Amino acid sequence: MSSPHDFDFFHGDWQVANRRRTDFLDPGSDWEEFPATNRCRPLFDGAANIDEIDMPHLGAKGATLRLFDRESGQWSLNWASSRTGTLFPPVFGRFADGRGEFYGDDTHDGKDVRVRFVWSDVSATGARWEQAFSVDGGDTWLTNWVMEFTRAS
């Protein structure tokens, strides 16, 4: 069951190993790897948080605001990029059995995509996040970005 404290593990500083496809919609595209750093802090006594990731390889930073809706028992994850200065459409979901799945709709390169974020392998010292897109309404998914988080000492 999801709770306002699902993301408590994420508060603090992290080293991030990124692996992402060079073309988010092409399953044959190459993967590129690069490091990043991340800092997350709680808001609303844990029922919300905000983090900023610094990705020098991309010349960009990103921020995510996560909000727990107590009525629905779901989280909304709201991502913004320093490149555009815009807020992307949110993804919504919850944690169950240590795994968080979050879904939403967006566009990429002019195509409508269904978006899935998955949080897994959560511990006090690490976590995994992955992003996948679907162009067929969620029948098939292409994972296009994976982040492995390691707690910074």
Side-chain angles (χ1 to χ4, degrees):
M1 185 60 140
S2 228
S3 87
H5 296 287
D6 288 332
F7 280 101
D8 284 2
F9 76 90
F10 201 45
H11 304 158
D13 296 333
W14 299 88
Q15 297 295 320
V16 187
N18 286 271
R19 187 168 186 258
R20 72 175 203 161
R21 290 190 184 276
T22 53
D23 181 334
F24 283 3
L25 298 176
D26 179 2
S29 67
D30 291 334
W31 289 91
E32 63 176 341
E33 296 182 4
F34 56 93
T37 56
N38 193 89
R39 172 172 284 165
C40 179
R41 67 183 186 89
L43 303 168
F44 306 160
D45 300 319
N49 65 58
I50 190 163
D51 78 84
E52 182 180 45
I53 187 166
D54 185 8
M55 300 172 285
H57 172 77
L58 300 179
K61 294 183 179 187
T64 303
L65 173 65
R66 296 174 191 83
L67 300 163
F68 185 75
D69 181 325
R70 293 177 189 276
E71 189 172 315
S72 70
Q74 288 196 96
W75 286 88
S76 64
L77 283 54
N78 305 273
W79 164 259
S81 168
S82 66
R83 282 189 173 166
T84 62
T86 59
L87 193 60
F88 286 71
V91 294
F92 299 92
R94 58 178 38 98
F95 276 83
D97 301 319
R99 178 182 167 95
E101 292 191 16
F102 307 88
Y103 296 89
D105 296 305
D106 202 345
T107 58
H108 182 77
D109 286 344
K111 293 182 182 171
D112 290 338
V113 294
R114 186 89 175 126
V115 179
R116 179 182 68 196
F117 291 176
V118 174
W119 281 95
S120 62
D121 301 331
V122 171
S123 74
T125 58
R128 177 185 173 96
W129 171 89
E130 60 185 69
Q131 171 182 275
F133 286 175
S134 174
V135 294
D136 58 15
D139 289 336
T140 60
W141 293 94
L142 176 63
T143 299
N144 54 38
W145 198 326
V146 176
M147 293 184 187
E148 298 284 350
F149 290 84
T150 304
R151 175 97 37 211
S153 51

